Protein backbone atom coordinates (compact mmCIF):
# COMPACT_ATOMS: atom_id res chain seq x y z
CA UNK A 1 0.00 0.00 0.00
CA UNK A 2 1.34 3.43 -0.95
CA UNK A 3 0.28 6.37 1.18
CA UNK A 4 0.73 9.95 0.02
CA UNK A 5 0.91 12.74 2.57
CA UNK A 6 1.16 16.53 2.48
CA UNK A 7 0.96 18.06 -1.02
CA UNK A 8 2.21 14.96 -2.85
CA UNK A 9 5.74 15.72 -1.73
CA UNK A 10 6.49 12.45 -0.03
CA UNK A 11 6.07 8.79 -0.77
CA UNK A 12 4.79 6.82 2.18
CA UNK A 13 6.29 3.60 3.43
CA UNK A 14 5.53 0.68 1.18
CA UNK A 15 5.49 -2.77 2.66
CA UNK A 16 5.39 -5.93 0.74
CA UNK A 17 5.20 -9.32 2.27
CA UNK A 18 6.09 -12.53 0.61
CA UNK A 19 6.73 -15.99 1.84
CA UNK A 20 9.88 -17.94 1.38
CA UNK A 21 10.19 -21.68 1.35
CA UNK A 22 9.47 -21.74 5.10
CA UNK A 23 6.53 -19.31 4.73
CA UNK A 24 8.41 -16.79 6.88
CA UNK A 25 7.35 -13.18 6.17
CA UNK A 26 10.08 -10.92 4.80
CA UNK A 27 10.01 -7.18 5.38
CA UNK A 28 10.77 -5.36 2.15
CA UNK A 29 9.70 -1.91 3.26
CA UNK A 30 11.01 1.04 1.22
CA UNK A 31 12.27 3.99 3.30
CA UNK A 32 10.35 7.22 2.94
CA UNK A 33 11.94 9.59 0.45
CA UNK A 34 11.10 12.95 -1.03
CA UNK A 35 9.72 13.14 -4.52
CA UNK A 36 11.41 15.91 -6.48
CA UNK A 37 9.07 17.09 -9.16
CA UNK A 38 11.02 17.51 -12.40
CA UNK A 39 11.49 21.10 -13.50
CA UNK A 40 9.79 22.12 -16.65
CA UNK A 41 12.32 22.28 -19.47
CA UNK A 42 11.55 24.74 -22.24
CA UNK A 43 11.85 23.21 -25.74
CA UNK A 44 13.86 26.28 -26.81
CA UNK A 45 16.26 28.51 -24.85
CA UNK A 46 14.69 31.71 -23.52
CA UNK A 47 14.69 34.54 -26.02
CA UNK A 48 17.09 37.22 -24.85
CA UNK A 49 18.94 40.01 -26.61
CA UNK A 50 22.17 38.01 -26.37
CA UNK A 51 20.55 34.96 -27.94
CA UNK A 52 19.21 37.07 -30.78
CA UNK A 53 22.67 38.52 -31.39
CA UNK A 54 24.38 35.12 -31.37
CA UNK A 55 21.74 33.37 -33.47
CA UNK A 56 22.96 32.81 -37.02
CA UNK A 57 20.53 33.55 -39.82
CA UNK A 58 21.53 32.24 -43.24
CA UNK A 59 20.30 33.38 -46.64
CA UNK A 60 21.92 31.18 -49.27
CA UNK A 61 25.64 31.55 -48.55
CA UNK A 62 25.14 34.84 -46.69
CA UNK A 63 25.22 34.90 -42.89
CA UNK A 64 23.52 37.70 -41.03
CA UNK A 65 25.73 39.57 -38.55
CA UNK A 66 24.77 42.15 -35.96
CA UNK A 67 26.79 45.36 -35.90
CA UNK A 68 28.01 46.49 -32.45
CA UNK A 69 25.93 49.66 -32.79
CA UNK A 70 22.85 47.77 -33.92
CA UNK A 71 21.54 46.92 -37.35
CA UNK A 72 22.61 43.99 -39.47
CA UNK A 73 24.93 43.23 -42.36
CA UNK A 74 25.77 40.04 -44.23
CA UNK A 75 28.93 38.07 -44.93
CA UNK A 76 29.55 35.39 -47.55
CA UNK A 77 32.39 33.28 -46.21
CA UNK A 78 32.78 31.32 -49.46
CA UNK A 79 33.30 34.48 -51.53
CA UNK A 80 34.80 36.74 -48.83
CA UNK A 81 32.13 39.34 -49.55
CA UNK A 82 29.96 41.72 -47.53
CA UNK A 83 26.73 43.57 -48.16
CA UNK A 84 24.62 45.87 -46.02
CA UNK A 85 21.49 45.16 -48.09
CA UNK A 86 18.61 43.65 -46.13
CA UNK A 87 18.61 40.12 -47.51
CA UNK A 88 15.57 39.22 -45.44
CA UNK A 89 13.38 41.04 -47.94
CA UNK A 90 15.65 40.87 -50.99
CA UNK A 91 14.18 39.20 -54.07
CA UNK A 92 17.28 39.13 -56.28
CA UNK A 93 19.62 36.96 -54.24
CA UNK A 94 20.63 34.88 -57.26
CA UNK A 95 21.49 38.02 -59.23
CA UNK A 96 23.62 39.19 -56.31
CA UNK A 97 25.45 35.86 -56.22
CA UNK A 98 26.00 35.96 -59.99
CA UNK A 99 27.50 39.45 -59.76
CA UNK A 100 29.82 38.38 -56.95
CA UNK A 101 30.94 35.33 -58.96
CA UNK A 102 31.60 37.40 -62.08
CA UNK A 103 33.48 40.08 -60.16
CA UNK A 104 35.59 37.52 -58.35
CA UNK A 105 36.43 35.80 -61.62
CA UNK A 106 37.62 39.11 -63.07
CA UNK A 107 39.58 40.21 -60.02
CA UNK A 108 41.39 36.90 -59.41
CA UNK A 109 42.37 38.19 -55.96
CA UNK A 110 41.07 35.90 -53.24
CA UNK A 111 42.63 37.93 -50.42
CA UNK A 112 40.74 41.07 -51.44
CA UNK A 113 37.48 41.68 -49.60
CA UNK A 114 34.50 42.47 -51.82
CA UNK A 115 31.74 44.82 -50.66
CA UNK A 116 28.67 44.93 -52.88
CA UNK A 117 25.53 47.02 -52.56
CA UNK A 118 22.43 46.44 -54.74
CA UNK A 119 20.88 49.56 -56.23
CA UNK A 120 17.91 50.25 -58.47
CA UNK A 121 18.88 52.37 -61.48
CA UNK A 122 16.25 53.34 -64.07
CA UNK A 123 14.14 50.41 -62.97
CA UNK A 124 16.97 47.90 -63.34
CA UNK A 125 18.86 46.07 -60.65
CA UNK A 126 22.49 47.20 -60.51
CA UNK A 127 25.34 46.54 -58.12
CA UNK A 128 27.79 49.05 -56.69
CA UNK A 129 30.97 47.66 -55.20
CA UNK A 130 34.52 48.19 -54.04
CA UNK A 131 37.38 45.93 -53.02
CA UNK A 132 39.38 46.21 -49.82
CA UNK A 133 43.08 45.48 -50.39
CA UNK A 134 44.51 44.54 -46.95
CA UNK A 135 48.22 44.44 -47.80
CA UNK A 136 48.09 47.96 -49.33
CA UNK A 137 45.55 49.45 -46.90
CA UNK A 138 43.47 50.88 -49.70
CA UNK A 139 40.27 50.28 -51.64
CA UNK A 140 40.10 49.53 -55.34
CA UNK A 141 37.84 48.88 -58.32
CA UNK A 142 38.25 46.76 -61.43
CA UNK A 143 37.30 49.62 -63.77
CA UNK A 144 38.22 53.28 -64.02
CA UNK A 145 36.27 55.22 -61.44
CA UNK A 146 34.93 58.75 -61.59
CA UNK A 147 36.38 60.11 -58.37
CA UNK A 148 34.34 63.30 -58.16
CA UNK A 149 32.26 62.05 -55.24
CA UNK A 150 35.16 60.36 -53.49
CA UNK A 151 37.39 63.44 -53.73
CA UNK A 152 34.63 66.03 -53.60
CA UNK A 153 36.40 67.93 -50.80
CA UNK A 154 39.39 68.55 -53.07
CA UNK A 155 39.05 71.45 -55.49
CA UNK A 156 41.35 69.89 -58.08
CA UNK A 157 41.94 66.22 -57.22
CA UNK A 158 44.34 65.72 -60.12
CA UNK A 159 46.68 68.30 -58.63
CA UNK A 160 46.60 66.85 -55.11
CA UNK A 161 49.11 64.40 -53.77
CA UNK A 162 46.67 63.25 -51.10
CA UNK A 163 44.51 60.90 -53.17
CA UNK A 164 46.31 57.87 -51.78
CA UNK A 165 45.67 59.15 -48.26
CA UNK A 166 41.99 59.52 -49.06
CA UNK A 167 41.84 55.94 -50.33
CA UNK A 168 43.59 54.76 -47.16
CA UNK A 169 41.07 56.72 -45.09
CA UNK A 170 38.27 54.90 -46.92
CA UNK A 171 40.03 51.60 -46.17
CA UNK A 172 39.78 52.29 -42.44
CA UNK A 173 36.25 53.63 -42.85
CA UNK A 174 35.23 50.25 -44.28
CA UNK A 175 35.84 48.55 -40.94
CA UNK A 176 33.56 50.99 -39.16
CA UNK A 177 30.68 49.40 -41.06
CA UNK A 178 32.03 45.86 -41.50
CA UNK A 179 34.18 44.98 -38.45
CA UNK A 180 33.71 41.22 -38.78
CA UNK A 181 36.96 39.25 -39.14
CA UNK A 182 39.09 42.39 -38.81
CA UNK A 183 41.85 42.16 -36.22
CA UNK A 184 43.24 45.31 -34.64
CA UNK A 185 45.97 45.05 -32.02
CA UNK A 186 46.60 47.36 -29.10
CA UNK A 187 49.74 48.84 -30.67
CA UNK A 188 47.63 50.27 -33.52
CA UNK A 189 45.23 51.91 -31.06
CA UNK A 190 48.20 53.25 -29.12
CA UNK A 191 49.57 54.73 -32.34
CA UNK A 192 46.26 56.50 -33.01
CA UNK A 193 46.27 57.87 -29.47
CA UNK A 194 49.79 59.22 -29.89
CA UNK A 195 48.81 61.03 -33.08
CA UNK A 196 45.77 62.61 -31.43
CA UNK A 197 47.94 63.68 -28.48
CA UNK A 198 50.31 65.30 -30.99
CA UNK A 199 47.42 67.17 -32.64
CA UNK A 200 46.15 68.22 -29.21
CA UNK A 201 49.57 69.62 -28.28
CA UNK A 202 49.78 71.52 -31.56
CA UNK A 203 46.26 72.88 -31.18
CA UNK A 204 46.97 73.96 -27.61
CA UNK A 205 50.09 75.91 -28.60
CA UNK A 206 48.88 77.29 -31.93
CA UNK A 207 45.31 78.49 -31.93
CA UNK A 208 45.23 78.56 -35.73
CA UNK A 209 46.89 75.18 -36.21
CA UNK A 210 45.87 72.58 -38.76
CA UNK A 211 44.67 70.27 -36.01
CA UNK A 212 42.48 72.94 -34.44
CA UNK A 213 40.87 73.98 -37.73
CA UNK A 214 40.39 70.63 -39.50
CA UNK A 215 39.87 68.01 -36.82
CA UNK A 216 38.15 68.61 -33.47
CA UNK A 217 37.98 71.04 -30.59
CA UNK A 218 40.39 70.68 -27.66
CA UNK A 219 37.68 69.08 -25.53
CA UNK A 220 36.82 66.64 -28.32
CA UNK A 221 40.43 65.55 -28.69
CA UNK A 222 40.85 65.12 -24.94
CA UNK A 223 37.74 62.94 -24.83
CA UNK A 224 38.95 60.85 -27.79
CA UNK A 225 42.33 60.29 -26.10
CA UNK A 226 40.55 59.03 -22.99
CA UNK A 227 38.30 56.72 -25.01
CA UNK A 228 41.27 55.27 -26.90
CA UNK A 229 42.97 54.50 -23.58
CA UNK A 230 39.81 52.74 -22.40
CA UNK A 231 39.71 50.67 -25.58
CA UNK A 232 43.27 49.49 -24.97
CA UNK A 233 42.24 48.27 -21.52
CA UNK A 234 39.36 46.25 -23.00
CA UNK A 235 41.67 44.29 -25.31
CA UNK A 236 41.84 40.53 -24.85
CA UNK A 237 44.99 38.70 -25.88
CA UNK A 238 46.18 41.98 -27.47
CA UNK A 239 43.13 42.08 -29.79
CA UNK A 240 40.63 44.95 -29.81
CA UNK A 241 36.91 43.98 -29.63
CA UNK A 242 34.56 44.96 -32.44
CA UNK A 243 33.13 47.88 -30.46
CA UNK A 244 36.63 49.34 -30.18
CA UNK A 245 37.31 48.76 -33.88
CA UNK A 246 34.18 50.69 -34.82
CA UNK A 247 35.20 53.61 -32.60
CA UNK A 248 38.79 53.72 -33.92
CA UNK A 249 37.74 53.54 -37.58
CA UNK A 250 34.91 56.07 -37.36
Amino acid sequence: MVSVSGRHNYLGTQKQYRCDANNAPEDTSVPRKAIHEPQLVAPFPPVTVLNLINRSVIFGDWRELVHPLGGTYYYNNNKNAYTSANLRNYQYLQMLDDFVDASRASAKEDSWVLVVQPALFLGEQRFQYYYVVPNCRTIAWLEDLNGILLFRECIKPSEWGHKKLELEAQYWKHFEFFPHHFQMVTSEVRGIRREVICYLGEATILSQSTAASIFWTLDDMSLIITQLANIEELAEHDLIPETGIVFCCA
Side-chain angles (χ1 to χ4, degrees):
M1 178 73 64
V2 177
S3 62
V4 181
S5 62
R7 298 176 59 187
H8 304 284
N9 291 328
Y10 297 94
L11 177 64
T13 301
Q14 181 182 11
K15 293 185 178 181
Q16 297 178 352
Y17 296 91
R18 66 180 183 179
C19 297
D20 57 11
N22 298 324
N23 293 324
E26 181 182 357
D27 186 0
T28 58
S29 62
V30 178
R32 176 179 294 181
K33 61 181 179 181
I35 297 179
H36 298 285
E37 297 181 358
Q39 296 181 353
L40 296 178
V41 179
F44 301 101
V47 177
T48 63
V49 175
L50 184 60
N51 285 339
L52 290 176
I53 291 176
N54 293 331
R55 184 180 301 172
S56 294
V57 181
I58 306 296
F59 297 91
D61 292 331
W62 299 86
R63 180 160 65 96
E64 184 177 89
L65 303 172
V66 177
H67 193 275
L69 299 182
T72 57
Y73 61 104
Y74 300 83
Y75 177 63
N76 188 324
N77 184 66
N78 296 330
K79 304 296 173 56
N80 195 16
Y82 291 93
T83 184
S84 59
N86 184 6
L87 299 187
R88 288 176 176 265
N89 302 317
Y90 188 60
Q91 302 177 357
Y92 304 99
L93 186 59
Q94 187 58 54
M95 292 180 62
L96 174 63
D97 290 337
D98 291 342
F99 174 84
V100 171
D101 290 339
S103 182
R104 279 293 185 193
S106 299
K108 295 182 176 61
E109 294 287 352
D110 294 337
S111 64
W112 292 10
V113 180
L114 174 61
V115 179
V116 57
Q117 182 67 24
L120 197 62
F121 181 74
L122 297 178
E124 295 184 2
Q125 190 70 202
R126 301 289 182 88
F127 299 95
Q128 300 174 334
Y129 78 97
Y130 64 87
Y131 278 96
V132 178
V133 187
N135 59 333
C136 296
R137 291 189 174 182
T138 189
I139 60 175
W141 296 264
L142 303 182
E143 305 89 7
D144 292 338
L145 175 73
N146 186 340
I148 292 179
L149 292 179
L150 185 62
F151 303 107
R152 59 184 177 273
E153 295 181 359
C154 305
I155 299 176
K156 295 181 179 180
S158 60
E159 298 178 5
W160 276 58
H162 296 97
K163 287 189 287 185
K164 183 181 184 302
L165 295 178
E166 177 63 26
L167 292 174
E168 183 178 353
Q170 294 300 322
Y171 164 83
W172 291 108
K173 193 73 175 177
H174 159 81
F175 298 108
E176 177 188 358
F177 299 101
F178 304 100
H180 181 65
H181 273 341
F182 181 63
Q183 292 187 343
M184 175 179 283
V185 296
T186 53
S187 60
E188 292 177 303
V189 179
R190 195 172 299 116
I192 298 173
R193 184 156 61 98
R194 287 170 180 166
E195 290 185 10
V196 179
I197 291 174
C198 179
Y199 291 136
L200 177 60
E202 180 185 352
T204 303
I205 298 173
L206 304 174
S207 60
Q208 300 299 322
S209 68
T210 301
S213 59
I214 293 182
F215 294 99
W216 312 280
T217 65
L218 298 181
D219 290 339
D220 289 339
M221 284 188 280
S222 297
L223 180 60
I224 289 172
I225 291 171
T226 301
Q227 292 298 330
L228 290 172
N230 293 336
I231 290 173
E232 287 185 53
E233 294 180 359
L234 294 176
E236 296 183 2
H237 305 292
D238 199 41
L239 294 178
I240 303 300
E242 285 191 357
T243 51
I245 292 173
V246 170
F247 179 84
C248 291
C249 297

